[in-house]
Structure formats: C-alpha cells, structure tokens
Amino acid sequence: MRHINSLQQNFFSQYGKVYRPFIHQLNEKLHSYGLFNSQWAILRLLSQEGQMTPAEIANRQQVEKPSVTKILQRLAEMKYVDAMPGKDRREKLISLTDHGRTVVEEITVQLKPLYEQLLEGVAENEIEAAIDVLARVHQNLMR
C-alpha cells in the first residue's frame, strides 16, 4: 500500500511541476494578443462549442460567474466576443466575433510548436492515456 500512496503522490507532484511553468509559457505566447490563459480558455471553449451563456461558460470553466463576466467584458472590449439577447431577456448568448475566430485560429497555429515541443518524445497513445487519467481525476474531483 505504501508504494501506491507514493505513486499517487508522485503523480500529483509531477502535475504540479508542469502546471505553473506551462501556464507561464502559454501566457508569454498569448501576451502579443493582450490575452491571458483564463481569457484564452474561454475563447477556445466558444470556438469549440459555439454560443453559450455566461453561466454555461462559468460552469464549463469551473469558475465563478462574476469572474467570467469580467473576462467577457474585457474580451468584448477587444472585439473578440459579442453578446446577443437569449430566449430570456436576462440571458445573454456569447459568441466569437469574426475577429475573435481569426484570433483563435492564429493563436492555435502559434501554440502548435509549443505543444509539440513540450510533448516531444511522448507517444500518441501515452498522450491519450494521460488525457483519460486527468479526465477521471476531474470526474472524481466533481463528485
């Protein structure tokens, strides 16, 4: 049992060693667009999922709605997103503008070499296994 605990601790220790330096490098790449990781995550989500309400975005990003509202205001000022009335007058639907879509495509292309560099020497099946493990950890956190 002791080996399993140290293995589990090592897993999260390795994750912790990767997370902050990765976010730092990501933010450096996003800087020229005036963006941070939290803003980029929302742009990417909208690009993948299409229109969403701020509440849906907050839920998917697992952050407080006021934080999302603040980020969306900034993204709207930058002309990356637009808000349109939803079914309910109080509800707004957020979507990428044409400019926002262009920026997401540009950033995606710019980040590809970073991702490739960081995953150099890691086989595709290992990446898929890591994605599965992190998805399960996430599910367990949400219980």
Side-chain angles (χ1 to χ4, degrees), residues 16-119:
K17 286 180 187 177
V18 167
Y19 181 75
R20 284 191 188 275
F22 169 71
I23 295 301
H24 178 73
Q25 284 192 32
L26 185 61
N27 282 335
E28 282 182 357
K29 299 275 186 196
L30 296 171
H31 180 75
S32 63
Y33 292 92
L35 295 171
F36 292 102
N37 176 53
S38 55
Q39 297 162 320
W40 168 238
I42 289 174
L43 291 176
R44 226 179 43 245
L45 178 65
L46 290 169
S47 174
Q48 293 166 350
E49 303 291 328
Q51 282 187 330
M52 300 178 88
T53 66
E56 289 170 328
I57 294 169
N59 184 41
R60 290 290 298 278
Q61 296 300 109
Q62 297 178 343
V63 294
E64 299 296 318
K65 192 170 175 256
S67 299
V68 168
T69 301
K70 206 170 178 180
I71 292 170
L72 290 173
Q73 286 171 342
R74 179 70 184 125
L75 293 174
E77 288 169 12
M78 299 168 81
K79 309 273 190 257
Y80 291 164
V81 300
D82 212 1
M84 295 169 21
K87 293 172 256 170
D88 180 336
R89 283 175 26 137
R90 295 168 295 172
E91 181 182 77
K92 285 192 168 98
L93 288 173
I94 309 299
S95 60
L96 291 176
T97 61
D98 289 341
H99 178 58
R101 271 188 285 285
T102 300
V103 165
V104 168
E105 288 170 20
E106 285 176 20
I107 292 172
T108 300
V109 168
Q110 281 196 10
L111 291 179
K112 191 174 190 293
L114 173 65
Y115 295 151
E116 288 171 349
Q117 174 199 346
L118 295 176
L119 291 168

